Amino acid sequence: MKKSPPMAQLQSPRSDSDGTAQVHHRSIVFPDKIIAIADSFEKKELSWFATSQIPTDLSIEVQDITFNVHKYPLVSRCGYIGRIEPQPSNSNLGYDLKLENFPGGPETFEIILKFCYGLPVGLNPNNVAPLRCASEFLEMTEELEDGNLISKTEAFLTFVVLSSWRDSIMVLKSCETLSPWAENLQIVRRCCDSIAWKVSQDNPTIGEMINEEIWWFDDVATLRIDHFMRIITAIRVKGVKPEVIGSCIMHYAEKWLPGMDEKLDGVRRHGYGKYELQLSIQSGRRQEAVVGHNKDQRLITESLVSILPPQKEAVSCKFLLQMLKMATVYSASPALISELEKRVGMVLENANVNDLLIPSYTFGDQGNPANSPEERTMHDIDVVQRIVEYFLMHEQQQQLQQKSADVHVSKLLDNYLAEIATDPYLSITKFQVLAEALPENARTCHDGLYRAIDTYLKAHPSLSEHDRRRLCKVMDCVKLSLDACTHAAQNDRLPLRTVMKVLFSEQAKMRAAMQGKEQAASGNNTDQEGRWSSTNEEIKTLKMELEKVKIEMAELQKDYSELQREYEKQNNKQRNVSGWTFGWRKIKNSALFHGKVDGEETRDEQQSNPTGGRVNLHRRQSIS
């Protein structure tokens, strides 16, 4: 240690009073030879004492811990201690000097005291960052002493820490409580750059990323979110593949945002009602608000989304939808939710139905569940509506004719409609708008749409006839398969007009099939007799089916007529004719029921039913 002069002149900071600057001078006289040096420190309750033959003459408080020390060892190496005016000796505060916001706290100050007293001090990755910040706070420069603490900690950081992956990670973790000192001293930046350079030297292939986890994912996942963001930013500058960055972000999210999907899926699997789901989420939110968990989760969610690589292949669609659920749960900013919806729309063809089932977290005033049916829906339909719109916008901007993507999205949307159709609070308007979101040419077959509509009608039996017809207009009967037409023709939940369209469509398909058979038979001269015989048999079968359809139509007409007569008998004393009676008369006067049946068919019916009794309607079954 450098020998200090016998007398050191110290000046306190200037203070202005009445426009006059006054400078306070104080001097400390040190003996030419130190009689005794402190061998160690001992703790008594909340105070530390330097064990020495010389009485202590300075008390310093750091976070409610008081250190009783000697002035000379500290002033000789800490410029800050020499510049600060201590409290008067007769003060009742219990200390002469208090260090506010001291980086590293009492543990770090204890190490600095040992260094100032000449006791052995060991630097390691856990204490080097706090010591570097504390030495800067105390101004332990080379002007006061050669080999002072600033130069020693800087040398350890540069030549030891930054050359080691593990040490750099440990120093970054120790910097989490050293803001803003660690940032201002570039400790965080230098460690992040060192880590990013080491990561950039490792370029795994796609197969290695799929088959096994990359070695450095676990280490960076232990860091705080702001330091993790700095590393990802530095890695991106180094040119690391977007797939690697995306996989690292997903790994970090899995560690810090765990269990959200499993909890919600468990609630749905056990059959809890809508109110129970909302109340459980609301109670969870209140508990999280107490401990600040909600704020932390929102910060992590927003930060991870902000550093996602822009490439579509960087992260999976499933991960984006999971992050969208998290952003909805923790009330992230609307701009971030919109950004997630756009990204999901770009890769919507890779989604599945379960990922799209985003629960609705809408609550009324004071945290109570909303009372209106629109706000009590189990799933957030508006989010999916916007995602589909972003998908169509992206397809239009790219000017791509991706038929496979359109077909997959149409099937995905039909399956989603079938899943949400069972919600008793789902309005017909929202269902219809979402069903009509895709253009007409996006669906080559409407079987999935028919299944979703039938499920909705089954879950909402109180729908009016007008709403049923309105909903069924979304479906094109021409694009139904033969099996779907057969089922729809026997489905008593469908309105009568839709059933008629299905029957005509089925008839047209059978006629087209007959014509195709005839053309194929006429175009091939070999085995003509066998083909004609098979065609004739098929024609006979189709004719028989058509006859059955005509008979069913006649039965329907007769039953409707009898129902109308019975209804009129009950209401003939009423002046105003109800809308339902008017509907029956309208059906009776329609051209469909005035079709004439051949005389032979009429006679056959009279013979088969001589009593003129009522023919029961053929009961129709619905899709399971």
Side-chain angles (χ1 to χ4, degrees):
M1 185 174 64
K2 183 178 179 181
K3 185 178 180 181
S4 299
M7 179 178 294
Q9 299 290 336
L10 304 174
Q11 294 183 353
S12 64
R14 293 184 179 182
S15 60
D16 297 334
S17 175
D18 299 330
T20 306
Q22 298 179 357
V23 181
H24 300 277
H25 297 277
R26 59 188 178 92
S27 60
I28 302 175
V29 179
F30 301 114
D32 294 337
K33 201 171 190 181
I34 300 296
I35 299 175
I37 300 177
D39 298 327
S40 62
F41 291 88
E42 60 180 7
K43 185 177 181 181
K44 297 180 181 179
E45 294 181 354
L46 295 179
S47 300
W48 285 87
F49 295 88
T51 57
S52 174
Q53 298 177 359
I54 303 177
T56 60
D57 55 358
L58 179 65
S59 61
I60 301 176
E61 182 176 283
V62 179
Q63 294 182 5
D64 298 330
I65 303 296
T66 304
F67 295 87
N68 297 279
V69 295
H70 303 86
K71 290 182 181 179
Y72 167 67
L74 269 70
V75 171
S76 63
R77 294 198 173 188
C78 303
Y80 179 83
I81 302 295
R83 291 190 301 103
I84 296 299
E85 183 74 23
Q87 296 291 335
S89 58
N90 58 355
S91 175
N92 295 325
L93 296 176
Y95 57 85
D96 299 330
L97 183 63
K98 184 175 182 179
L99 301 180
E100 299 282 355
N101 300 321
F102 184 77
E107 296 82 3
T108 303
F109 189 72
E110 180 187 356
I111 299 176
I112 289 180
L113 287 180
K114 292 179 180 180
F115 177 81
C116 293
Y117 274 95
L119 298 177
V121 173
L123 295 178
N124 57 66
N126 291 320
N127 64 16
V128 64
L131 287 175
R132 175 65 183 90
C133 297
S135 62
E136 188 73 22
F137 181 95
L138 296 174
E139 302 175 11
M140 303 177 70
T141 61
E142 295 294 300
E143 297 177 357
L144 299 175
E145 185 82 18
D146 290 338
N148 213 344
L149 194 56
I150 289 180
S151 61
K152 289 184 179 298
T153 52
E154 273 293 331
F156 189 85
L157 282 170
T158 304
F159 298 105
V160 178
V161 172
L162 298 182
S163 61
S164 169
W165 167 272
R166 182 65 61 184
D167 291 348
S168 299
I169 295 290
M170 294 176 65
V171 169
L172 264 185
K173 288 184 67 65
S174 67
C175 291
E176 294 178 357
T177 59
L178 298 175
S179 297
W181 288 93
E183 290 285 350
N184 296 335
L185 295 175
Q186 305 295 320
I187 300 176
V188 174
R189 182 192 62 79
R190 286 182 287 173
C191 289
C192 290
D193 289 343
S194 174
I195 293 172
W197 183 84
K198 294 177 176 64
V199 167
S200 64
Q201 303 304 307
D202 179 47
N203 293 315
T205 62
I206 302 298
E208 292 175 351
M209 293 173 54
I210 297 175
N211 296 329
E212 57 184 54
E213 192 175 283
I214 298 180
W215 59 272
W216 51 271
F217 280 5
D218 287 332
D219 289 336
V220 297
T222 60
L223 300 174
R224 201 173 63 183
I225 183 60
D226 55 341
H227 294 162
F228 177 78
M229 291 176 62
R230 295 282 295 271
I231 290 178
I232 293 297
T233 304
I235 287 174
R236 184 179 298 176
V237 173
K238 301 293 184 182
V240 178
K241 299 175 183 177
E243 295 87 348
V244 177
I245 297 176
S247 299
C248 183
I249 294 175
M250 290 190 288
H251 185 82
Y252 189 91
E254 183 180 355
K255 178 179 177 62
W256 292 92
L257 303 174
M260 177 54 58
D261 288 334
E262 287 75 5
K263 292 179 182 178
L264 294 180
D265 289 342
V267 171
R268 285 198 294 268
R269 282 197 300 269
H270 288 83
Y272 288 127
K274 173 60 181 174
Y275 289 120
E276 287 77 1
L277 175 61
Q278 286 182 332
L279 291 176
S280 65
I281 296 172
Q282 181 66 16
S283 62
R285 281 186 171 184
R286 290 174 180 172
Q287 294 174 1
E288 291 164 0
V290 173
V291 298
H293 185 259
N294 193 344
K295 182 179 179 181
D296 295 338
Q297 298 294 296
R298 181 173 66 249
L299 175 62
I300 294 175
T301 302
E302 293 178 345
S303 301
L304 292 180
V305 173
S306 65
I307 59 176
L308 286 175
Q311 291 80 2
K312 294 171 58 176
E313 66 277 3
V315 293
S316 63
C317 183
K318 181 180 181 67
F319 174 75
L320 292 174
L321 286 168
Q322 288 176 346
M323 295 299 294
L324 182 57
K325 293 178 185 178
M326 297 295 294
T328 305
V329 170
Y330 294 110
S331 303
S333 64
L336 179 133
I337 293 178
S338 178
E339 177 65 23
L340 280 173
E341 291 172 352
K342 291 179 182 179
R343 294 199 59 147
V344 173
M346 295 171 58
V347 292
L348 185 58
E349 64 273 11
N350 299 325
N352 59 61
V353 178
N354 292 331
D355 296 332
L356 282 179
L357 295 176
I358 301 175
S360 178
Y361 300 102
T362 302
F363 291 89
D365 297 335
Q366 298 179 354
N368 297 321
N371 294 322
S372 63
E374 289 291 332
E375 295 180 349
R376 288 188 292 180
T377 54
M378 184 172 293
H379 301 98
D380 197 335
I381 313 299
D382 297 332
V383 171
V384 180
Q385 175 74 28
R386 292 191 294 267
I387 289 175
V388 173
E389 292 175 356
Y390 287 133
F391 167 77
L392 297 176
M393 291 172 55
H394 177 71
E395 292 293 313
Q396 185 177 5
Q397 292 175 358
Q398 298 295 326
Q399 297 181 352
L400 298 176
Q401 300 295 329
Q402 297 183 359
K403 294 296 181 183
S404 59
D406 293 342
V407 170
H408 185 84
V409 171
S410 64
K411 292 181 179 179
L412 174 69
L413 188 58
D414 292 344
N415 293 332
Y416 177 78
L417 289 170
E419 288 289 336
I420 65 174
T422 57
D423 187 352
Y425 297 107
L426 178 60
S427 66
I428 187 175
T429 302
K430 282 192 174 184
F431 185 90
Q432 182 180 0
V433 169
L434 187 58
E436 294 176 341
L438 294 178
E440 295 181 359
N441 58 353
R443 292 184 177 92
T444 57
C445 179
H446 279 208
D447 285 7
L449 187 58
Y450 165 67
R451 172 174 169 264
I453 292 174
D454 183 55
T455 305
Y456 187 87
L457 294 176
K458 187 176 181 180
H460 301 77
S462 60
L463 281 180
S464 63
E465 189 72 14
H466 171 73
D467 289 338
R468 291 172 183 269
R469 289 199 301 269
R470 167 188 165 192
L471 185 60
C472 290
K473 284 182 180 179
V474 180
M475 176 180 59
D476 188 359
C477 298
V478 178
K479 292 185 178 181
L480 293 178
S481 65
L482 192 59
D483 293 337
C485 287
T486 303
H487 184 278
Q490 301 176 2
N491 191 350
D492 56 356
R493 286 186 290 272
L494 298 179
L496 181 60
R497 183 176 299 177
T498 303
V499 174
M500 299 307 172
K501 289 181 180 179
V502 170
L503 291 173
F504 291 144
S505 174
E506 187 177 8
Q507 185 178 2
K509 290 178 182 179
M510 289 188 294
R511 186 181 295 111
M514 290 170 54
Q515 292 177 357
K517 295 282 186 180
E518 292 175 356
Q519 292 177 1
S522 61
N524 191 359
N525 294 326
T526 61
D527 299 332
Q528 187 173 6
E529 295 180 357
R531 292 179 180 273
W532 270 111
S533 60
S534 61
T535 303
N536 290 334
E537 292 177 359
E538 293 176 358
I539 291 173
K540 291 178 181 180
T541 304
L542 292 175
K543 284 182 177 180
M544 291 175 62
E545 293 179 357
L546 289 176
E547 294 296 333
K548 291 180 181 179
V549 172
K550 290 180 180 180
I551 294 173
E552 290 180 358
M553 293 296 297
E555 292 176 353
L556 286 172
Q557 181 181 5
K558 188 179 297 183
D559 288 336
Y560 276 115
S561 299
E562 291 183 3
L563 289 173
Q564 183 182 5
R565 285 196 296 270
E566 292 178 2
Y567 182 77
E568 289 178 351
K569 287 179 182 179
Q570 296 177 1
N571 299 277
N572 53 9
K573 293 182 180 182
Q574 299 179 1
R575 294 181 179 180
N576 298 327
V577 181
S578 63
W580 189 66
T581 306
F582 179 75
W584 287 107
R585 291 179 178 176
K586 188 174 180 181
I587 293 173
K588 178 181 176 184
N589 297 330
S590 63
L592 176 62
F593 288 98
H594 282 275
K596 295 183 179 181
V597 185
D598 296 340
E600 296 180 359
E601 296 174 352
T602 305
R603 287 194 297 272
D604 294 340
E605 291 176 1
Q606 293 176 356
Q607 293 175 2
S608 62
N609 190 14
T611 61
R614 178 181 174 185
V615 181
N616 294 326
L617 286 171
H618 181 67
R619 302 298 301 172
R620 298 186 293 269
Q621 300 176 352
S622 61
I623 296 177
S624 58

